[in-house]
Amino acid sequence: MSSSSSSVPKQPLSGWGRYPLVDSYLQRPEKVSSLTKIIQTAENKPVLARGAGRSYGDAAICPSCTIITERLNRMLAFDEESGILACETGVTIKEIVEIFSPRGWFLAVTPGTKFVTVGGAIAFDVHGKNHYRDGSFSRHVCNLKLMLASGEVVQCSSQENSDLFWATVGGMGLTGIIMEVEIALRPIQTAYIKAKSIKAKNLDETLALFEEYEPQYQYSVAWIDCLASGQSLGRSRLSFGSHAAIADLNQEQQAAPLKLKPKPSCKVPFDFPAGLLNRYTMSCFNAFYYHRQRSWQVQSVVDYDSFFYPLDFLRDWNRLYGKRGFIQYQCVFPTEVSREALVRVLQLCAQKGWGTFLAVLKRLGSQEGWLSFPTPGFTLALDMPIKPGLERFLVQLDRLVIEYGGRVYLAKDARLSPEAFRSMYPHFLRWLEVKSQIDPYNRFSSAMSKRLQIESAKERIKV
Amino acid sequence: MKEAVLVVGATSSIARSLASKMGQQGTALHLAARDRFEVERIAKDIAIRYQVPVSWSIFDALDRDSHADLLQKALDHLDRLDGVAVFLGELGNQEKAQREFDCAEQIIHSNYTGVASILTHAANYLEKQRHGFIICLSSVAGDRGRQSNYVYGAAKGALSLFLQGLRNRLAKSNVRVLTVKPGFVDTKMTFGKSGMFLMAKPEQVASAVIRALQKNKLVVYVPWFWFWIMLIIRSIPEFLFKRLSL
Ligand SMILES: Cc1cc2nc3c(=O)[nH]c(=O)nc-3n(C[C@H](O)[C@H](O)[C@H](O)COP(=O)(O)OP(=O)(O)OC[C@H]3O[C@@H](n4cnc5c(N)ncnc54)[C@H](O)[C@@H]3O)c2cc1C
Ligand SMILES: NC(=O)c1ccc[n+]([C@@H]2O[C@H](COP(=O)([O-])OP(=O)(O)OC[C@H]3O[C@@H](n4cnc5c(N)ncnc54)[C@H](OP(=O)(O)O)[C@@H]3O)[C@@H](O)[C@H]2O)c1
């Protein structure tokens, strides 16, 4: 794969977890016509779109030609009546919320960081803290335009070319390049969230509180101290919230209910030494976080940034895990077995000391995309630094996830096996049929798709 | 009433960034570029984000007869004109330009003759109304001729001199002329090219230009340290310089 039009050397590329690092040729078109040209002249070289590189593993890397979409970020139309925004897919969540929240509109679904692109949000069909109610990102996509391997652009939606649509949302960039989308924003009265924070002593209490408060709030999430064990196994801080009405705000906030003052952010200036985030520092941090909130319940009105994107205040926080990087292991368990499965995962973590910072627990509902991650149940995300023994531990977790009929989120993955992937994603074959039709020669390919052996049937016959 | 500005070469990402920042301040804009499809998208983007009037038209630096029209079109859309910002430029292929003068000529037209033509129309209009500003992108490459890009550098050097003279002429008419000399900027002009260092982002350049305009600067290097780098490079005696491989 050494032939490239320019003399520029390959550059090492990774995801947010900084593992793995793969040398890749980069392109960064600033015009639609340049993108078409790249696709049409790259002959048979594999290509792939890359958004903000906020997926954790190897999903957004293609060694022969990774196409960065950041400069294709034009907003093309906005309907003030319906709140429908047409834009190119390099537009970020940050741009959308910053431009439209002062005008009374917000995204219906947002992930936990605003530094991702619309393209990335669709290609992994991302979920927010309201999946249970509102579905994932694709549910609010009215239609999208996809550039196929031929350079031809096809429009699709849940109504039109729907097979292509359900293969593309959650399709990890492997069906083509999503060029433009129309997404429906949701009206808000204020830029604030009426939030309730509750502490739970253990897992049963945590799950019971989800049941109790979910009907009253739009958003819910829990941070579990996964290093706590015994009686405290699964102790957590739950956070619920709903978009605040004007009446919920204090006087100062009411003066400009949709405007937020810019807040300073800080940056991790260098790579931390690898061993710094270890079991002891982590459990201290987790205990501190858990006990910091003194009373069992706190009610407050917070701005949307603090509620949805708490980590964005610390830029480059992935450097805390050192040069070797880290893995975020996010899995979901079906509702019926959630409790049992979570107990086993948390026990394993506490025993082996593998869970690190607070683990995030969210509720998911059902989702239509064929490779979309969400399925009804509870999802847990654990951050773990790369070090010897990790893979053995994760394989154990994989087995447990498969045993309970769950799955691992590929947006966070860097090491799952092809077999494990196939047992977790039952609609894969259906997806593969569409892929084989529109991209028989696997022009769209990534380090992840190679690893998981996600390839068109025709190609496999040919080899 | 809010300002109105004509941006020429609007498909440059530095231009887009500057236009966005001006739009954010409420400035009405007319964008001109040769790529119809792209300039329309950029116009829509700025209009949606900042809720200001943004119109556009097609323009080719090499088609000099059309340059008077461009100013008229901008005026038709904007009703007034407070400033003209020109981002035209083409790095070109130095090696090819050495072999084929047609190629060199094209570089000279895109970076100098075509730009000078548009600047002449803009200057005449602003001089008459006795108010306004001109921003024009030259380059540090115009500060000293180097074997690796002297055709581009010479055109930019000529442009810098042209702007200097224009500034002198327009001073008495209350029209400001700002010469911008960027170092390396991370745009499609430089993407993937080897030998780039101290790369600035287009937004950084745009912010520096706005600041320079507010402070009534005349010539600005962006980022600022290029002033010092070029001071050193210019001070190397020619008999030594000719031996360097720069
Ligand atoms: C701090 C943090 C919090 C997160 N929280 C959540 C969360 O709450 N919920 C959730 O679901 N996810 C979450 N994520 C994961 C993140 O939302 C997804 O990985 C998302 O895909 C990242 O988008 P990106 O623009 O960075 O895409 P990249 O990482 O660059 O790419 C991701 C995939 O999208 C494809 N792609 C990108 N652009 C296009 C395009 N234009 N056309 C076709 N394919 C394209 C790429 O090929 C790749 O397969 C979080 C990530 C971080 C770092
Ligand atoms: N990037 C750097 O490192 C750097 C350094 C110093 C100075 N500069 C100067 O900064 C300015 C902006 O450059 P950039 O980096 O943003 O690169 P760019 O994207 O290539 O911008 C150049 C602009 O000039 C236009 N153009 C070129 N020839 C033209 C012609 N004949 N007719 C009409 N339009 C023409 C281009 O149009 P198309 O989009 O249609 O090509 C584009 O809008 C240029 O003057 C450049 O010389 C850049």
Side-chain angles (χ1 to χ4, degrees):
Chain A
M1 219 80 64
S2 63
S3 73
S4 155
S5 50
S6 63
S7 57
V8 190
K10 283 186 170 185
Q11 291 181 27
L13 208 57
S14 73
W16 185 246
R18 306 175 82 199
Y19 171 86
L21 266 178
V22 183
D23 284 341
S24 315
Y25 288 111
L26 297 183
Q27 294 279 2
R28 191 190 58 200
E30 296 195 352
K31 298 182 170 192
V32 174
S33 58
S34 327
L35 175 60
T36 313
K37 207 162 127 195
I38 294 167
I39 303 295
Q40 288 177 337
T41 58
E43 282 142 27
N44 293 319
K45 264 190 306 176
V47 296
L48 185 79
R50 176 181 174 95
R54 245 55 180 201
S55 53
Y56 282 66
D58 49 2
I61 304 174
C62 174
S64 54
C65 182
T66 303
I67 303 171
I68 301 167
T69 62
E70 81 182 26
R71 299 270 163 109
L72 295 173
N73 65 337
R74 278 76 58 97
M75 297 186 179
L76 302 170
F78 183 65
D79 184 340
E80 304 275 352
E81 295 287 300
S82 63
I84 291 179
L85 169 71
C87 65
E88 294 178 330
T89 51
V91 168
T92 62
I93 301 297
K94 177 174 192 283
E95 290 174 296
I96 296 179
V97 297
E98 285 180 0
I99 295 287
F100 293 103
S101 67
R103 298 189 212 168
W105 297 96
F106 207 79
L107 282 160
V109 168
T110 174
T113 171
K114 57 184 183 218
F115 299 123
V116 310
T117 64
V118 169
I122 295 174
F124 268 120
D125 199 8
V126 301
H127 57 268
K129 299 178 187 174
N130 55 342
H131 189 268
Y132 184 62
R133 287 168 172 261
D134 298 317
S136 60
F137 202 84
S138 66
R139 200 167 289 174
H140 310 276
V141 170
C142 312
N143 61 65
L144 58 85
K145 292 198 173 114
L146 185 73
M147 185 179 285
L148 304 175
S150 58
E152 181 197 358
V153 176
V154 185
Q155 177 161 310
C156 60
S157 69
S158 59
Q159 313 296 322
E160 179 186 7
N161 293 321
S162 59
D163 276 4
L164 196 53
F165 185 77
W166 295 125
T168 298
V169 303
M172 301 178 280
L174 300 173
T175 57
I177 304 213
I178 309 162
M179 310 278 302
E180 279 174 35
V181 292
E182 282 191 349
I183 43 181
L185 305 186
R186 143 176 305 178
I188 49 169
Q189 279 185 28
T190 74
Y192 294 87
I193 303 291
K194 200 169 82 175
K196 189 188 204 78
S197 177
I198 310 178
K199 284 208 290 192
K201 285 202 232 37
N202 53 40
L203 186 64
D204 283 326
E205 210 175 294
T206 302
L207 297 177
L209 285 165
F210 262 103
E211 293 293 336
E212 184 180 345
Y213 284 99
E214 257 172 355
Q216 302 168 35
Y217 287 93
Q218 290 172 296
Y219 303 101
S220 53
V221 64
W223 282 277
I224 293 195
D225 175 358
C226 55
L227 295 176
S229 55
Q231 295 278 302
S232 307
L233 189 83
R235 74 173 175 193
S236 72
R237 261 170 77 169
L238 291 98
S239 147
F240 298 96
S242 294
H243 289 284
I246 302 214
D248 298 323
L249 307 187
N250 65 29
Q251 260 184 345
E252 193 195 337
Q253 293 164 337
Q254 278 184 0
L258 289 163
K259 297 243 156 62
L260 297 184
K261 286 195 205 90
K263 257 186 267 181
S265 63
C266 48
K267 196 173 172 144
V268 177
F270 52 79
D271 297 337
F272 272 47
L276 196 73
L277 297 193
N278 56 41
R279 153 172 217 168
Y280 305 100
T281 53
M282 289 290 171
S283 50
C284 285
F285 174 85
N286 288 359
F288 168 74
Y289 184 83
Y290 180 76
H291 292 296
R292 199 179 60 160
Q293 178 179 325
R294 292 275 170 70
S295 46
W296 289 100
Q297 286 201 16
V298 178
Q299 199 127 19
S300 59
V301 171
V302 297
D303 59 79
Y304 71 74
D305 260 329
S306 322
F307 187 79
F308 290 115
Y309 316 115
L311 285 173
D312 287 354
F313 288 109
L314 187 59
R315 280 168 26 238
D316 297 342
W317 61 261
N318 52 356
R319 305 183 84 172
L320 294 176
Y321 285 93
K323 263 208 167 59
R324 273 183 291 178
F326 68 109
I327 298 270
Q328 182 171 99
Y329 191 87
Q330 181 172 1
C331 55
V332 56
F333 295 108
T335 317
E336 319 79 71
V337 296
S338 279
R339 187 192 168 276
E340 194 185 326
L342 287 170
V343 168
R344 283 187 57 191
V345 174
L346 291 171
Q347 273 172 348
L348 266 179
C349 285
Q351 259 169 32
K352 313 241 157 129
W354 267 111
T356 54
F357 268 133
L358 306 145
V360 178
L361 184 71
K362 281 184 276 197
R363 163 98 83 162
L364 301 178
S366 59
Q367 197 57 50
E368 302 85 348
W370 295 336
L371 291 184
S372 293
F373 168 67
T375 180
F378 279 93
T379 173
L380 184 74
L382 307 155
D383 286 353
M384 286 165 276
I386 305 265
K387 59 180 185 193
L390 176 62
E391 181 55 24
R392 206 165 354 118
F393 177 66
L394 294 181
V395 168
Q396 243 177 317
L397 288 186
D398 291 343
R399 266 193 234 118
L400 210 143
V401 169
I402 294 170
E403 180 189 327
Y404 283 103
R407 62 177 63 146
V408 163
Y409 192 7
L410 297 174
K412 315 289 176 81
D413 176 56
R415 31 73 48 198
L416 202 65
S417 72
E419 298 73 31
F421 161 69
R422 280 162 178 72
S423 0
M424 292 176 180
Y425 285 84
H427 301 302
F428 172 60
L429 288 179
R430 198 158 169 207
W431 180 88
L432 197 60
E433 262 174 51
V434 175
K435 167 86 172 166
S436 307
Q437 274 164 25
I438 57 167
D439 187 20
Y441 300 109
N442 293 300
R443 282 296 306 290
F444 295 101
S445 149
S446 62
M448 173 176 274
S449 73
K450 282 258 179 287
R451 171 168 60 80
L452 297 177
Q453 295 170 12
I454 301 180
E455 300 205 311
S456 288
K458 278 192 190 154
E459 178 73 357
R460 272 182 302 156
I461 293 162
K462 222 177 67 179
V463 170
Chain B
M1 199 158 120
K2 285 287 188 181
E3 285 200 328
V5 172
L6 163 64
V7 180
V8 186
T11 51
S12 136
S13 42
I14 308 175
R16 181 182 165 203
S17 221
L18 184 87
S20 297
K21 286 184 198 293
M22 288 182 156
Q24 199 165 11
Q25 297 168 352
T27 305
L29 298 158
H30 186 77
L31 309 182
R34 60 179 164 185
D35 189 330
R36 172 190 301 267
F37 183 80
E38 290 295 322
V39 72
E40 181 177 5
R41 294 192 154 226
I42 293 169
K44 281 182 181 164
D45 178 69
I46 298 174
I48 292 168
R49 287 179 195 240
Y50 307 111
Q51 299 177 293
V52 287
V54 188
S55 52
W56 57 272
S57 58
I58 304 298
F59 154 86
D60 194 322
L62 307 181
D63 177 13
R64 293 213 290 274
D65 295 341
S66 69
H67 293 183
D69 282 357
L70 176 63
L71 232 75
Q72 195 48 54
K73 274 188 219 153
L75 278 163
D76 291 346
H77 283 285
L78 297 172
D79 284 332
R80 59 179 277 163
L81 197 58
D82 301 282
V84 179
V86 186
F87 291 84
L88 292 175
E90 186 195 340
L91 193 54
N93 180 336
Q94 169 71 23
E95 261 174 48
K96 194 168 170 215
Q98 283 169 208
R99 279 181 276 116
E100 301 164 28
F101 188 72
D102 281 353
C103 173
E105 193 181 14
Q106 150 105 22
I107 296 176
I108 294 166
H109 283 322
S110 310
N111 289 293
Y112 179 58
T113 335
V115 182
S117 157
I118 236 346
L119 287 173
T120 301
H121 291 284
N124 293 348
Y125 178 82
L126 296 174
E127 184 179 45
K128 226 185 295 160
Q129 88 176 8
R130 302 187 65 78
H131 140 90
F133 61 83
I134 289 173
I135 300 170
C136 188
L137 278 266
S138 183
S139 170
V140 295
D143 278 13
R144 189 148 198 183
R146 298 184 292 131
Q147 62 181 336
S148 57
N149 69 357
Y150 66 83
V151 178
Y152 171 78
K156 286 295 193 190
L159 178 61
S160 295
L161 279 186
F162 187 94
L163 289 164
Q164 201 172 40
L166 201 60
R167 175 179 307 117
N168 187 208
R169 169 186 150 199
L170 296 177
K172 54 183 170 300
S173 320
N174 188 32
V175 176
R176 288 182 288 148
V177 177
L178 172 63
T179 307
V180 183
K181 296 185 178 179
F184 296 122
V185 191
D186 186 15
T187 68
K188 67 182 189 299
M189 185 178 269
T190 50
F191 185 82
K193 299 239 158 55
S194 48
M196 298 288 149
F197 55 93
L198 298 172
M199 209 54 134
K201 289 276 162 208
E203 304 83 64
Q204 269 174 285
V205 179
S207 300
V209 170
I210 300 236
R211 266 198 312 275
L213 195 68
Q214 281 162 351
K215 289 193 191 160
N216 280 323
K217 290 254 173 80
L218 312 175
V219 180
V220 60
Y221 287 82
V222 277
W224 56 271
F225 49 74
W226 280 97
F227 171 80
W228 300 101
I229 297 177
M230 293 320 292
L231 191 69
I232 295 165
I233 291 188
R234 276 196 316 263
S235 64
I236 302 173
E238 192 66 15
F239 73 90
L240 279 179
F241 196 81
K242 74 170 187 189
R243 276 169 238 226
L244 302 179
S245 54
L246 287 164

